[in-house]
Amino acid sequence: VASNAEGYPVGAWVSGLFGWQDYVVGETKGPMRMQIVPEGVDPKAMLGVFGTTGLTAYFGMLEVGPLKEGDAVLVSGAAGATGSVAGQIARLKGATKVVGIAGGPAKCAWVRDVAGFDACIDYKSESIAGRVRDMFPAGVDLYFDNVGGEALDATLGQLAMNGRVVLCGGISSGYGTGTPPPGPRNYFNLVIMRGRMEGFILLDYIARFAAAREELIGWVRDGKLRYAEDIAEGLENAPATLRGLFEGANLGKQVLKVADAPLGPN
Ligand SMILES: NC(=O)c1ccc[n+]([C@@H]2O[C@H](COP(=O)([O-])OP(=O)(O)OC[C@H]3O[C@@H](n4cnc5c(N)ncnc54)[C@H](OP(=O)(O)O)[C@@H]3O)[C@@H](O)[C@H]2O)c1
């Protein structure tokens, strides 16, 4: 299949927000245009570290946070696609301490040993509140939250003066339609500590994706940013693979392979 659009040569790999489909008619102009996968970049990485989750980590940490040099940083969902990148960006931009929260010893080992966090709290076997108190005696300056629930509440209770909470996701809620869990008990600590809690949606930063992606590509190329991909196979496994995100089945970016890659330049 050839495209008549300028800038999309035959054989180029493109990425974008499409469905699982054989053919697509995509935008070639504007912020939602199909992206040409840059030379030397693994096309799969455009779905993760150079795509939605990596960009979410980037803007959440650096713009919404915003991270300040010397911050002591805590990240939940730390073995996931977004959290693992968020913590590493914090380190690259001057955090003095970066701690993750993840489920299970294998994920925590990856967060420490591969992603280079200083420590990781295994929320499945440890008390989050107790460990956050031990590890942040002077409080958490910046908390990047992917999960909500108990981790959010525990961290609010140990916020540093002028501490900031970035609300990226709330996966522990299951995003269900039932009655939501009660709000965090420790929210009043935001008042005492003159803190701030702010949510964001990645799409608000769309005009700046290209520049951010370039910085992310540079970090990966220089070996400063590590990422994991978890690849499931087969369109028939799509529902179970999606459910796996809520069961902690994935380490790093969950990708679903639906077909063999055609020959291309990458
Ligand atoms: N604001 C935005 O614009 C934006 C954009 C993209 C994504 N997000 C949000 O960012 C979050 C992370 O997304 P992602 O794609 O990077 O997924 P991910 O972190 O790669 O995968 C989800 C992880 O959540 C953890 N989890 C599942 N149930 C949990 C529970 N009950 N309590 C605590 N942790 C639980 C699991 O890790 P463990 O094994 O460690 O539990 C699971 O591996 C999601 O909430 C997503 O909705 C927000």
Side-chain angles (χ1 to χ4, degrees):
V1 177
S3 167
N4 293 324
E6 216 177 296
Y8 293 86
V10 172
W13 283 82
V14 295
S15 72
L17 293 175
F18 314 131
W20 283 307
Q21 58 202 108
D22 293 317
Y23 302 97
V24 63
V25 178
E27 305 276 331
T28 58
K29 292 190 169 55
M32 297 301 278
R33 70 185 177 280
M34 293 183 287
Q35 300 291 325
I36 297 275
V37 179
E39 190 71 32
V41 165
D42 175 358
K44 290 197 301 314
M46 295 295 281
L47 305 173
V49 64
F50 306 139
T52 310
T53 49
L55 293 166
T56 299
Y58 184 97
F59 289 107
M61 187 55 79
L62 300 180
E63 295 295 325
V64 186
L67 179 86
K68 294 183 187 146
E69 237 182 285
D71 274 351
V73 174
L74 179 65
V75 179
S76 60
T82 307
S84 61
V85 174
Q88 293 180 80
I89 290 175
R91 166 59 40 77
L92 283 164
K93 293 287 190 178
T96 46
K97 178 188 281 190
V98 182
V99 175
I101 303 175
K107 285 193 179 184
C108 272
W110 185 88
V111 166
R112 276 190 316 266
D113 303 342
V114 181
F117 287 41
D118 297 299
C120 182
I121 299 168
D122 177 357
Y123 75 92
K124 291 194 171 158
S125 66
E126 301 181 293
S127 147
I128 304 176
R131 294 281 280 147
V132 170
R133 268 197 307 274
D134 291 349
M135 288 179 186
F136 294 89
V140 175
D141 294 309
L142 197 157
Y143 175 46
F144 189 103
D145 189 25
N146 284 305
V147 306
E150 189 194 338
L152 172 61
D153 200 24
T155 308
L156 285 174
Q158 192 60 14
L159 216 53
M161 187 59 75
N162 300 129
R164 287 143 283 141
V165 176
V166 177
L167 296 180
C168 174
I171 203 158
S172 77
S173 71
Y175 297 131
T177 51
T179 313
R185 277 172 303 208
N186 288 325
Y187 86 95
F188 201 72
N189 212 29
L190 287 166
V191 178
I192 308 296
M193 303 311 282
R194 291 76 158 167
R196 185 169 58 79
M197 183 150 98
E198 185 176 334
F200 74 105
I201 292 292
L202 174 67
L203 291 176
D204 295 345
Y205 296 92
I206 202 160
R208 296 170 56 195
F209 280 7
R213 187 178 285 121
E214 250 178 61
E215 196 164 13
L216 290 162
I217 289 174
W219 285 330
V220 169
R221 197 185 42 230
D222 298 344
K224 295 177 178 163
L225 176 61
R226 309 284 298 272
Y227 65 94
E229 289 172 335
D230 205 319
I231 301 170
E233 288 204 32
L235 188 57
E236 67 282 7
N237 292 318
T241 304
L242 181 61
R243 198 173 59 236
L245 289 171
F246 294 89
E247 296 163 349
N250 63 307
L251 172 65
K253 176 69 183 183
Q254 181 66 66
V255 177
L256 181 70
K257 179 180 174 185
V258 294
D260 285 327
L263 294 176
N266 284 284

